[in-house]
Amino acid sequence: MTNKAGYAFTVLVTVGALSYLLRALPFLLFGGRKEPPQIVRYVGRMLSPAAIAMLVVYCFAGLSVPEIKTPITLLAPYLAGVLTIALQLWKRNPLISILLGTVLYMALVQ
Amino acid sequence: MTTRTMLFKLAFVDSIPVLMGYSTMGFAAGMLLAVQGEIAWAPFWGMVTSAAFESGPLQYLFVDWVRTTLAIGSVLLVTLCVNFRYSLYGLSLIERFQCASRWQKAYLIGTITDETYAIQTSSRLTGKRYVTYCFLLTMLDHFYWIVGVTLGAAVGVLAKDLFSPERMQSFTKGIDFSMTALFLVILTDQVRERPGRIPAVIGFAAALLSCLAFGRANMLIPTVLAILTAFLLLRRWLDD
């Protein structure tokens, strides 16, 4: 447990510092109202959707493999994923999409 | 009514949608930390991380990180990719925050989020009043997030005490999908807009290949390298 606490503390400090630095970067670099280089704006614009898509794959790969393998438990992530996306396209309410998607997934794997 | 009270009222009314979102999403992230984070003192860690990161994605990822003790290098790389957009948000706030005092500015900068930024940039107030309004709004949003995460973790710990580990495991089974669902929702909103589509496809393809080639634990660094390479190679066609 102590190891876990030490790890959590390291994450807290390093991620906290990096998050702050990223938010402060434009104020530090461009406080005198200089435009950032074109390439920085380009990568900044492109990076966010790519990073989120990467995390979707990372999360799907991290879902625990069901002990009982039936078509339903194996398809559960995809069915719940489709429901989440469909609800978000239709209702545009993140809370409803996440809640119902998760409830469906939990119902299917249990 | 003093100006300050008036500005507080205005900030509070504007923050109500954020209250709904942050308290519930924070609650779910805190609960996940207590139930699946495999770490003692979950409410404490939930409170300090939510105060320091103020980020939904990072709050959920924190659960995965402490459970698997992912290498710090990968943790920082993910943080960099997920929060890089905040560096661009700041650009349009430099002028607006010019009347803020040093410590007000330090706080306002450290707590930029998608939602707070959206409200701040749509306000029509100016000068000192604008800064005070932003400061109050930011404090409220930050507060909702911290309370949500901490309460969620506390409830999670209580539930763990009340029920046997087996029962707890059986009825919280699958709750980890909430993190996947969060990212699916963000992605859906991003690809709704045309400019988000190609980078999303690049990110998806790079991640899928890296995951198959290197496994989940080692996929993040190669994925980011592949994404950046693709961006630079395709810049001629994608940058307008």
Side-chain angles (χ1 to χ4, degrees), chain A residues 63-64 102-103 105-107 109-110, chain B residues 31-32 34-37 67 155-157 159-160 163-178:
Chain A
L63 292 170
S64 41
T102 308
V103 167
Y105 181 78
M106 289 174 75
V109 295
Q110 289 178 18
Chain B
M31 189 124 158
L32 196 64
V35 173
Q36 303 209 318
R67 194 181 58 216
V155 170
V157 170
K160 263 174 115 175
F163 303 105
S164 69
E166 298 77 44
R167 277 202 66 192
M168 196 67 197
Q169 211 170 21
S170 85
F171 62 57
T172 59
K173 195 168 159 196
I175 198 169
D176 51 340
F177 190 79
S178 57

Side-chain angles (χ1 to χ4, degrees), chain B:
Chain B
M1 205 157 52
T2 63
T3 322
R4 224 190 153 75
T5 332
M6 195 196 75
L7 288 172
F8 182 79
K9 271 198 169 163
L10 196 63
F12 176 69
V13 172
D14 288 347
S15 78
I16 290 174
V18 183
L19 168 63
M20 310 289 204
Y22 280 18
S23 54
T24 40
M25 291 299 296
F27 192 89
M31 189 124 158
L32 196 64
L33 178 65
V35 173
Q36 303 209 318
E38 294 165 23
I39 186 165
W41 294 83
F44 167 76
W45 291 112
M47 189 169 78
V48 290
T49 51
S50 62
F53 306 166
E54 219 198 346
S55 152
L58 295 188
Q59 200 65 47
Y60 278 84
L61 287 169
F62 182 69
V63 179
D64 181 75
W65 295 340
V66 291
R67 194 181 58 216
T68 59
T69 55
L70 184 70
I72 294 292
S74 297
V75 166
L76 291 178
L77 192 73
V78 173
T79 306
L80 184 71
C81 293
V82 174
N83 278 1
F84 191 79
R85 67 184 189 287
Y86 290 146
S87 316
L88 299 176
Y89 287 2
L91 288 172
S92 55
L93 293 172
I94 293 174
E95 271 197 84
R96 288 166 190 265
F97 288 168
Q98 248 163 11
C99 322
S101 70
R102 239 190 144 74
W103 64 274
Q104 270 179 330
K105 212 186 234 177
Y107 181 71
L108 285 168
I109 289 172
T111 47
I112 296 169
T113 65
D114 297 309
E115 292 78 6
T116 308
Y117 172 79
I119 301 174
Q120 282 174 348
T121 46
S122 58
S123 166
R124 290 200 184 150
L125 294 164
T126 49
K128 275 266 170 237
R129 293 174 122 207
Y130 175 72
V131 171
T132 311
Y133 164 81
C134 283
F135 192 74
L136 295 169
L137 176 82
T138 304
M139 270 195 346
L140 285 167
D141 290 354
H142 199 192
F143 178 74
Y144 302 150
W145 181 243
I146 299 171
V147 170
V149 173
T150 313
L151 267 181
V155 170
V157 170
L158 274 179
K160 263 174 115 175
D161 282 347
L162 282 176
F163 303 105
S164 69
E166 298 77 44
R167 277 202 66 192
M168 196 67 197
Q169 211 170 21
S170 85
F171 62 57
T172 59
K173 195 168 159 196
I175 198 169
D176 51 340
F177 190 79
S178 57
M179 176 159 72
T180 315
L182 170 78
F183 291 124
L184 277 176
V185 163
I186 300 175
L187 189 66
T188 305
D189 284 340
Q190 281 176 338
V191 299
R192 217 195 282 275
E193 316 288 331
R194 194 170 266 281
R197 290 181 195 159
I198 293 173
V201 170
I202 292 174
F204 193 79
L208 210 58
L209 291 175
S210 305
C211 186
L212 292 173
F214 307 104
R216 182 180 187 258
N218 304 312
M219 68 177 271
L220 293 168
I221 292 173
T223 307
V224 172
L225 292 177
I227 289 171
L228 290 176
T229 310
F231 284 175
L232 295 179
L233 289 176
L234 300 173
R235 188 174 173 209
R236 199 188 311 169
W237 295 279
L238 300 179
D239 198 1
D240 33 65

